[in-house]
Amino acid sequence: MIGLHIFGFGDPLRLYELDRDTGLWVRGFRPLQLDDLLGWSQGVAHQQHWDVDALHRQVMHFWVSQAAQIQLWQTRLHDLPDDHSLVAALGSRGDWCRHMERLLRA
């Protein structure tokens, strides 16, 4: 199982730190649009040899179930400086477990 999580808003340095420190696949979106999220997740799925169709179903479920929150995030992006974006992360169950364990050690 692959998990998608939105961390919140960040700048390019924060994106670099998250990518380096988490072991997850991290990307910033501005604006956050479903087509971009699906395209990015498909590229990651191919690189990681994950099931693309299953990941697309998870992304679509996330998009529908979080629709109100996504609209709020999209609106808030308009008020942020141009170098800030909405930060999303993808990872396998093992990736997320390792990330959480690192957080507990900190």
Side-chain angles (χ1 to χ4, degrees):
M1 172 176 243
I2 308 305
L4 169 67
H5 180 74
I6 302 291
F7 279 107
F9 300 101
D11 60 24
L13 181 58
R14 183 70 180 135
L15 280 173
Y16 170 76
E17 290 171 348
L18 282 170
D19 191 56
R20 181 194 66 205
D21 296 343
T22 63
L24 303 168
W25 291 83
V26 179
R27 165 120 185 245
F29 291 90
R30 186 179 181 100
L32 178 64
Q33 295 178 336
L34 180 57
D35 289 347
D36 292 338
L37 193 59
L38 287 170
W40 168 66
S41 65
Q42 181 174 337
V44 173
H46 284 303
Q47 288 179 322
Q48 294 297 103
H49 307 288
W50 294 337
D51 183 339
V52 174
D53 292 331
L55 182 54
H56 275 182
R57 284 191 299 275
Q58 289 179 357
V59 170
M60 293 293 293
H61 175 75
F62 173 85
W63 192 267
V64 171
S65 67
Q66 301 294 320
Q69 186 67 42
I70 289 169
Q71 287 178 334
L72 179 64
W73 291 331
Q74 289 168 328
T75 301
R76 289 189 57 203
L77 273 173
H78 292 293
D79 299 329
L80 292 174
D82 289 341
D83 67 340
H84 280 67
S85 56
L86 192 61
V87 179
L90 277 174
S92 68
R93 182 176 296 180
D95 296 332
W96 283 108
C97 286
R98 284 186 291 280
H99 172 60
M100 294 302 175
E101 286 173 5
R102 276 186 235 129
L103 288 176
L104 292 173
R105 285 190 217 122

